[in-house]
Amino acid sequence: MPHSRLSNSGVPTGAILQHNDIRADHTEIRTDHNEIRADRNEIRADHSEIRADHRSSTLKIWHQSFTDLDSFPQYRQTLQEHGRRVMGDQADVVVHGLQPGTYPPGVAPMDFNTRAGLQLLNTRQVCEAALAAQANGYDAFALGCFFDPGLTEARSLVDIPVVSLTETCMLTACSLGRKFAVIALTDFQKMLSEDLALKYGLTQRLAGVVAMSPAVRLFDLEQGDAVAESIKQRFVTACHAALDLGAEVIIPGDGVLNAFLVRHRMMSVDGATIMDPLGVLFQHAAFFVRSKRAGCLDVSRRLMYIQPTGVMADYARQNRGLGQAQEEDFSGADTNEVRPR
């Protein structure tokens, strides 16, 4: 039988080689474990980057109502819930109203704003809100009032996209049917809708504006079942009148009415499309942000929306108080839940 060779220490050489192989295997295993841990760390880092990228890609839209949202809690809640449902992960819709105390107690915004001089006072708040939106890093400003108050003025003051309900809905309706109609709460609102269609050059596409009868008080849209049933019946009657005028697309011509219809799931009648104006407004705002970022379009600064010069803007801030409002000055601002960016 052959004898094993001995090392200098007296241990068989084969045994030493086996130990060395085992140690090498252990070293390789530890190396593999380290590589696995490194891979896991890289995966966790990738996931963190993905979450960060997702947050940064979520748009932030300032919604501006022409009401005092503290006086319309159900409307405010519907706006917030509807914004989340319509926009999902695309954007956070942060709702705001005019500053608390803008309207006398018990006086509906619609009634107050039928007085042109008083409406002008509130229009300035829209401009202040647009400036606050831009200063606070919002991507777009969505004016949620069918009067389109301060639309031209706000567009001329900020760089972020500014969209509003009547302009957005009428232009969109032209892509959905040959003619559209607007359902108004009152005769005054009917008059304003007709005037805006003329201003936007869309009277040939407007089948008509139908005022609900009897007229609907804004506060009634926050009431319980008995009042709600009456409003629903009046709305359906108005829709049938609009269809008789040749409308294929129906625009509920008031933001609070829109929220009422969303809550009661009344979004179609006799095959005609009943537009969701607020949902369209939010998506329209996001479209403009994405298109501007992609270099597809931007607002013209040649005539109507020309911006103030630096000297003009400084003077307006220092001597006229322009741009002094803060986000927390607006009603409803403290009730929003916004994802971290």
Side-chain angles (χ1 to χ4, degrees), residues 17 22 36 39 70 78 137 142 152 186 209 228-229 238 265 275 341:
L17 293 174
I22 291 170
I36 291 170
D39 288 342
D70 291 347
T78 302
T152 301
T186 67
V209 182
E229 284 304 315
R265 300 180 180 179
M275 187 180 290
R341 302 186 85 187

Side-chain angles (χ1 to χ4, degrees), residues 201-215:
L202 296 173
T203 50
Q204 289 187 325
R205 304 294 296 273
L206 176 66
V209 182
V210 180
M212 295 169 65
S213 181

Side-chain angles (χ1 to χ4, degrees), residues 6 37 56 122 141 157 177-178 186 232 239 251 320-321:
L6 297 178
R37 281 196 293 270
S56 64
N122 295 338
F141 183 81
L157 290 173
R178 180 173 176 269
T186 67
K232 286 193 281 186
C239 285
I251 302 171
R320 305 298 296 273

Side-chain angles (χ1 to χ4, degrees), residues 36-96:
I36 291 170
R37 281 196 293 270
D39 288 342
R40 286 175 177 167
N41 288 335
E42 287 181 8
I43 291 170
R44 281 195 291 267
D46 288 342
H47 285 173
S48 297
E49 289 178 6
I50 290 170
R51 285 193 295 269
D53 287 344
H54 174 73
R55 285 195 297 270
S56 64
S57 65
T58 300
L59 304 180
K60 194 176 178 185
I61 299 172
W62 178 304
H63 164 271
Q64 181 62 49
S65 173
F66 213 50
T67 65
D68 176 349
L69 288 181
D70 291 347
S71 299
F72 290 85
Q74 191 169 194
Y75 177 44
R76 182 185 66 218
Q77 182 179 351
T78 302
L79 283 171
Q80 292 166 335
E81 293 174 351
H82 197 47
R84 286 192 290 269
R85 186 185 69 80
V86 170
M87 300 309 297
D89 291 335
Q90 296 179 62
D92 287 322
V93 177
V94 186
V95 305
H96 305 77

Side-chain angles (χ1 to χ4, degrees), residues 68-303:
D68 176 349
L69 288 181
D70 291 347
S71 299
F72 290 85
Q74 191 169 194
Y75 177 44
R76 182 185 66 218
Q77 182 179 351
T78 302
L79 283 171
Q80 292 166 335
E81 293 174 351
H82 197 47
R84 286 192 290 269
R85 186 185 69 80
V86 170
M87 300 309 297
D89 291 335
Q90 296 179 62
D92 287 322
V93 177
V94 186
V95 305
H96 305 77
L98 296 185
Q99 296 176 12
T102 292
Y103 300 106
V107 177
M110 179 79 70
D111 297 334
F112 191 90
N113 290 308
T114 58
R115 280 65 176 178
L118 297 179
Q119 184 187 142
L120 181 63
L121 299 177
N122 295 338
T123 298
R124 170 159 180 168
Q125 288 196 48
V126 172
C127 295
E128 290 286 345
L131 288 166
Q134 179 164 277
N136 283 277
Y138 282 82
D139 298 296
F141 183 81
L143 179 54
C145 176
F146 270 94
F147 293 178
D148 286 2
L151 175 60
T152 301
E153 294 82 357
R155 274 192 184 141
S156 74
L157 290 173
V158 297
D159 296 317
I160 60 175
V162 177
V163 295
S164 190
L165 274 173
T166 292
E167 184 188 60
T168 292
C169 291
M170 286 186 176
L171 291 173
T172 302
C174 290
S175 298
L176 304 178
R178 180 173 176 269
K179 288 205 170 188
F180 63 87
V182 178
I183 307 299
L185 296 179
T186 67
D187 286 334
F188 181 83
Q189 198 176 52
K190 175 179 185 294
M191 176 189 73
L192 285 183
S193 296
E194 291 168 344
D195 288 351
L196 286 172
L198 179 62
K199 176 182 177 180
Y200 299 145
L202 296 173
T203 50
Q204 289 187 325
R205 304 294 296 273
L206 176 66
V209 182
V210 180
M212 295 169 65
S213 181
V216 176
R217 294 178 64 253
L218 213 57
F219 288 121
D220 288 345
L221 293 165
E222 295 264 304
Q223 299 302 311
D225 292 341
V227 176
E229 284 304 315
S230 172
I231 293 173
K232 286 193 281 186
Q233 291 172 11
R234 280 179 270 173
F235 179 75
V236 170
T237 299
C239 285
H240 287 146
L243 297 179
D244 290 342
L245 292 172
E248 294 185 278
V249 181
I250 294 174
I251 302 171
D254 181 85
V256 185
L257 173 63
N258 181 193
F260 173 89
L261 297 174
V262 167
R263 288 196 300 273
H264 293 278
R265 300 180 180 179
M266 297 179 63
M267 302 311 295
S268 66
V269 58
D270 293 352
T273 296
I274 297 179
M275 187 180 290
D276 171 9
L278 290 164
V280 171
L281 179 70
F282 301 151
Q283 288 286 353
H284 198 58
F287 162 76
F288 270 104
V289 175
R290 291 192 298 267
S291 298
K292 182 176 180 178
R293 289 179 178 177
C296 300
L297 51 79
D298 201 355
V299 66
S300 172
R301 300 300 182 186
R302 178 172 170 77
L303 294 173

